[in-house]
Structures are given as C-alpha cells and as structure tokens.
Amino acid sequence: MKARDARSTAGLLLAGPALALIVVFFFLPVAASLLLSVTDFDVYALANPHDLRFVALDNYRALLADPQFWTALRNTFYFVLVGGPLSIGVSLAAALLVDSRVARMKGLMRTVFFLPVTTTIVAVAVVWRYLYHPRFGLIDQALGAFGVRPVDWLGDPVWSMPAIILMAVWKNFGFNMIILLAGLQGIPERLYEAASLDGAGAWRRLRSITLPLLAPTLGFVSLLTAIGYFQLFAEPYVMTQGGPAGSTRSIVLLMYEEGFRWWNLGRAAAVAFLLFVVLLAATAIPVALRRLRRPALFATGEGVHR
C-alpha cells in the first residue's frame, strides 16, 4: 500500500502543473463567462465596477425574445446544414481522386488541394470579395460569357450566404481531404482485388467496400466540420459585416457585435453559452442515436458481421 501511495503521489506531482494550467486557462475562464452571463456587465461597469448588477436569466430571456438572435441562429444552421455536407462531399471526391490508381503527380495534387487551408482567412476573404464583385469580379465575367446576367453575390440576401458557403468549402476541403485520404489508405487492397474478381465495378466497390469501411473516418470528419461551421465568424465579418439585411449574420458574429461593438459583455456571454448548448446537442444527439441503433443491429444479426 505504501508503494502504491507513493506512486499516486508521484503521479499527482507530475500531472499537477498540467492540471493547474487546464484549470487556470480552461475552467476558470468558462466559469467567469458563466458568471458574466448573469450580470449586466457593459461599458458603464467597465468604467465603474459598482455599476455591475446581477440580473439572473434576463440576458437569456432578452436573447430568446430578440428576432436578431433567431435570424443569426437560422443563418448558422443554414451554413452548417448546406455547407457541411457540401464540404464533406468535395473532400471525399478529392480524396478518392488523389487515391485512385489513374491519378498522376499525387504529391502535387495533395499540395494544391491543401494550399487554401494554409492561407489566412482574411486574405482569402479579400480575394473572394473581388471575385464576387458585380462589375469587375471574374465570376460574373465568366458567367457573362454564357449569357448569364451579373449577380450581386454579396449584396443580394438570396445569394450572400451561398457565396460565403462556396468560399468556405474551397477554403476548408483540403483539411478533410487529408484525413479521408489516410482512411482510404487504411483499407486493405485485397478487398478490392477480391471484389474485382467477383465482377464488381467501380460504383459497386465504392458502395460496398469504400464507404462502409470509411464510415468511422467520415463520422469523425463530419463532427469536426459541424463544430467548425457552427463557429462561423471570419468569413461574414470580413466579406459582408453580417449583411445584407442580416442575411449572413452568424451566432458568433452576433456575439462579437454584442460584446465588442455595443459593449454588452453580459449579453455576449449569454450568446456564447446558448451556442454551447446548441453545439452540445449537435454532438450528443448523433452519438445517442448511434448507441440506440447498435443493440438493434446486434438483435437483427447485422452487427455480428461488422
């Protein structure tokens, strides 16, 4: 027992600095933000802390009654539900292309596809603003060659969010491609050879071998993409400032505006915790559904073969 206690003490001493850093730089800021969200901390409280008042859940009630909050939440879900699958689809197509036998110069292709990930979002957004310009943008000029009338991509509420989604997919698909490519290279080649001997074509091999064996990697990539897209901020902040008519204002951009434009820091902290609840639900629900589905698979015998 003494030797075990000594090992436990040594373990705590070794892990202590790391645990202390986690507490100081993670748990304390979160606790402080939660405390801030139940106060009316604003620019007056910044000047004089005595003006700070405890308001309980008033910030949350005010947000839930604010149409701007629901518009920002709807825009965020629009971005996640449209941009997420599109980003994963493009990433998967790029990974399959780079991993295919007919592809040449695979190293160069990987570099080119990954290059947008390494560029800063502000520089990318400035370049894409020029591409989307209704008079001088290359996209409208290219469409004009086919007789399509110019579109005010960032000035029209109908097209503003699709324009941002297109830019975000181009910026981020390379990161997911690298993860999916690693998953593809982990699939045994003998499975494809056996399927080819049985007469399975390319589509059949993709549907029956590649996608089922790549499912865990796809699930991981989907989760990362959803979490990242729920935190949409830089793209609308640089390109549209949330406009036109609030059509690109995301929930994180709303939090920034409340906190650093209007100095309602208590309300901004409440936005942050509401986003945390949304993220928690978005990640917990798929896991819960998967756990509910697993016993059913084993009951029907499908899970035995997996």
Side-chain angles (χ1 to χ4, degrees), residues 5 15 35 39 68 95 110-111 124 207 211 251 256 291:
D5 292 342
L35 186 62
T39 68
Q68 283 195 356
R110 277 198 296 266
T111 303
V124 167
R207 193 164 59 90
L211 293 181
I251 198 73
Y256 169 81
R291 287 182 177 175

Side-chain angles (χ1 to χ4, degrees), residues 108-175:
L108 178 62
M109 291 174 66
R110 277 198 296 266
T111 303
V112 170
F113 289 157
F114 192 74
L115 203 56
V117 180
T118 63
T119 55
T120 62
I121 184 62
V122 174
V124 167
V126 170
V127 172
W128 277 79
R129 280 187 63 180
Y130 171 74
L131 293 176
Y132 283 137
H133 196 282
R135 289 186 60 191
F136 310 109
L138 296 180
I139 294 178
D140 275 344
Q141 290 183 14
L143 293 176
F146 297 97
V148 179
R149 299 181 61 183
V151 178
D152 189 0
W153 296 98
L154 299 178
D156 188 336
V158 175
W159 291 105
S160 54
M161 186 56 84
I164 288 181
I165 288 174
L166 181 63
M167 190 271 282
V169 169
W170 175 84
K171 173 76 172 65
N172 299 314
F173 84 94
F175 181 78

Side-chain angles (χ1 to χ4, degrees), residues 152-284:
D152 189 0
W153 296 98
L154 299 178
D156 188 336
V158 175
W159 291 105
S160 54
M161 186 56 84
I164 288 181
I165 288 174
L166 181 63
M167 190 271 282
V169 169
W170 175 84
K171 173 76 172 65
N172 299 314
F173 84 94
F175 181 78
N176 290 339
M177 180 203 70
I178 294 297
I179 299 175
L180 292 172
L181 192 58
L184 287 173
Q185 292 174 351
I187 299 176
E189 188 64 26
R190 64 178 183 276
L191 296 179
Y192 293 109
E193 295 173 354
S196 298
L197 291 174
D198 288 340
W203 171 246
R204 180 68 176 176
R205 293 197 298 272
L206 173 67
R207 193 164 59 90
S208 301
I209 298 176
T210 304
L211 293 181
L213 294 182
L214 200 61
T217 310
L218 278 172
F220 175 70
V221 166
S222 301
L223 186 61
L224 283 184
T225 303
I227 292 174
Y229 278 19
F230 266 116
Q231 301 172 51
L232 171 69
F233 171 72
E235 292 89 344
Y237 177 72
V238 177
M239 297 180 72
T240 61
Q241 291 286 310
S247 60
T248 59
R249 179 180 286 112
S250 66
I251 198 73
V252 179
L253 182 57
L254 176 67
M255 179 177 65
Y256 169 81
E257 290 177 343
E258 290 288 348
F260 300 104
R261 178 172 294 178
W262 311 118
W263 293 102
N264 294 322
L265 295 176
R267 193 160 165 171
V271 175
F273 274 91
L274 288 176
L275 176 61
F276 168 74
V277 172
V278 172
L279 276 172
L280 189 64
T283 53

Side-chain angles (χ1 to χ4, degrees), residues 290 292-304 306:
R290 188 174 178 181
L292 288 174
R293 184 171 175 266
R294 186 174 298 170
L297 289 178
F298 279 97
T300 58
E302 293 180 45
V304 175
R306 297 184 176 214

